[in-house]
Amino acid sequence: MGKRDNRVAYINPIAAARARGPVQNSGPTIQDYLSRPRPTWEELKEQLEKKKKGSRALADFEDKMNERWRKELAKNREKLLGGSDKDKERERKATERDKEEKKEKKEKKRKEKKKSSRHSSSSSSSSSSSDSSSSSSSESEDEDDKKSVKKKRKKKKSSVRRASDGSEAESDVERKKKKIKEEDKDKINAVKASIKPCCNSSVTQDEKSRRRKRKAERSHRESSSESSADSAEEELAEAKKRKRGSEEKEKITDKSKKKGKKKHKKHGRKKKKKAASQSDSELD
């Protein structure tokens, strides 16, 4: 199998660009940017002055806002300094008008609801009667609502009272049951005691024997614990005595060794003296 030919033809990019020819200009060139129209010094000064002055619309808006603020400040000053009676009367009238308008709107809504529920066409001549009937019906509805609320409250209170009474009755019943059970237990115990005295005596003897055994075991445990503590103390005392005896023995042995060394030295000196004396006598 032969190798594949992976060679690629090389193209000189500069030669290829020359062969393509000149490129078409897509947009302004640098020369166009440099030769753009520019304002003169006088025109530039005029533009700067206009910027400093600002726009007329903004100035008008600021004037209007200032006027509004002045009016509001004047009103607040009058209120704080105790305004005139006329202003107070005007405010009262305005509040009364607002209340009347709200009432009229409510009445209109109620009338519309009633007309839709009844589906009855009333004549224009009986407008006054319908107004009176609507007011009376609204009052009756308010009364019905109040009565229903009162009934609900009464029902809640009665239910709470019943629940409390029921709980008290249940507690009384439970107490009575407990008392009856206790009395039955007392009676049963009395009957057992009267019927089986011998059995009771045997039971009491067994209990006494068990108690004695338990007491004996406890005393034995206490005595064993005390004896173990005494033995441990005795062992410690004996160990201390042994240590002291061994230390004393070591001291005695050290002293005896020192004495032996001293005696050996003295004996050596005496021998030397005897040998020297003998040598001197022989020389004479």
Side-chain angles (χ1 to χ4, degrees):
M1 293 293 289
K3 291 182 179 179
R4 286 186 179 180
D5 190 7
N6 292 326
R7 290 177 294 174
V8 180
Y10 175 73
I11 298 166
N12 192 355
I14 295 163
R18 283 174 184 169
R20 283 172 196 162
V23 181
Q24 291 179 358
N25 291 325
S26 60
T29 59
I30 295 164
Q31 196 172 1
D32 295 334
Y33 177 73
L34 293 169
S35 63
R36 69 187 183 279
R38 296 179 186 179
T40 60
W41 182 244
E42 293 176 355
E43 291 175 356
L44 205 147
K45 279 182 180 179
E46 289 177 359
Q47 288 177 4
L48 291 168
E49 286 175 358
K50 285 179 181 178
K51 283 182 181 178
K52 284 179 182 177
K53 287 178 181 178
S55 63
R56 290 178 182 175
L58 201 148
D60 295 334
F61 177 73
E62 286 177 352
D63 293 332
K64 287 179 182 178
M65 291 296 289
N66 289 326
E67 287 176 0
R68 286 179 185 175
W69 280 111
R70 283 170 190 166
K71 288 178 182 178
E72 287 180 0
L73 288 167
K75 285 180 182 178
N76 291 323
R77 281 174 189 166
E78 287 176 357
K79 285 179 183 178
L80 292 168
L81 297 169
S84 61
D85 296 330
K86 290 180 180 179
D87 294 331
K88 290 179 181 178
E89 287 177 359
R90 285 175 187 174
E91 288 177 357
R92 285 175 186 175
K93 287 179 181 179
T95 53
E96 287 176 357
R97 284 174 187 174
D98 293 331
K99 286 179 182 179
E100 287 176 358
E101 286 177 357
K102 286 179 182 179
K103 285 180 181 179
E104 287 177 357
K105 285 180 181 178
K106 285 180 182 179
E107 286 178 358
K108 283 179 182 179
K109 286 180 181 179
R110 285 175 184 173
K111 286 177 184 179
E112 288 175 357
K113 286 179 181 178
K114 285 177 182 178
K115 284 178 182 178
S116 61
S117 62
R118 289 175 183 176
H119 295 289
S120 62
S121 61
S122 61
S123 62
S124 61
S125 62
S126 63
S127 61
S128 61
S129 63
S130 64
D131 292 332
S132 62
S133 64
S134 65
S135 62
S136 62
S137 62
S138 63
E139 288 174 358
S140 63
E141 284 178 358
D142 294 331
E143 288 176 357
D144 294 331
D145 293 331
K146 287 179 182 178
K147 286 179 182 178
S148 62
V149 171
K150 286 180 181 178
K151 284 180 182 178
K152 286 179 182 178
R153 286 178 183 172
K154 285 180 182 178
K155 284 180 181 178
K156 283 182 181 178
K157 287 180 181 178
S158 62
S159 63
V160 171
R161 285 176 185 173
R162 285 173 188 172
S164 62
D165 295 333
S167 63
E168 288 176 359
E170 287 177 357
S171 62
D172 293 332
V173 171
E174 288 178 355
R175 286 174 187 171
K176 287 179 182 178
K177 284 181 180 179
K178 285 181 181 178
K179 285 181 181 178
I180 291 162
K181 284 180 181 179
E182 287 176 357
E183 289 175 357
D184 292 335
K185 283 181 182 178
D186 294 331
K187 286 179 183 178
I188 290 161
N189 291 324
V191 170
K192 284 182 180 179
S194 64
I195 292 166
K196 296 180 180 179
C198 61
C199 295
N200 290 325
S201 62
S202 63
V203 169
T204 54
Q205 287 176 2
D206 293 332
E207 287 178 356
K208 285 179 181 180
S209 61
R210 285 176 186 172
R211 287 176 184 175
R212 285 173 187 173
K213 285 180 182 179
R214 287 174 184 171
K215 286 180 180 179
E217 286 177 356
R218 286 176 185 173
S219 61
H220 182 67
R221 286 175 186 172
E222 290 175 356
S223 61
S224 62
S225 63
E226 289 176 358
S227 61
S228 62
D230 295 332
S231 62
E233 288 177 356
E234 288 175 358
E235 286 177 357
L236 290 169
E238 287 177 358
K240 287 179 182 179
K241 286 179 182 179
R242 287 174 187 172
K243 284 181 182 179
R244 286 175 186 174
S246 61
E247 287 175 358
E248 288 176 357
K249 284 179 182 179
E250 286 177 357
K251 286 179 182 179
I252 292 162
T253 51
D254 292 333
K255 286 179 181 179
S256 62
K257 284 178 183 179
K258 287 178 182 178
K259 285 179 181 179
K261 284 179 182 179
K262 286 179 181 179
K263 286 179 181 179
H264 184 66
K265 284 179 182 179
K266 287 178 181 179
H267 189 66
R269 286 173 187 173
K270 285 178 181 178
K271 281 183 178 179
K272 284 179 182 179
K273 284 180 181 180
K274 284 180 181 180
S277 62
Q278 287 176 2
S279 63
D280 291 331
S281 63
E282 284 176 356
L283 287 169
D284 294 333

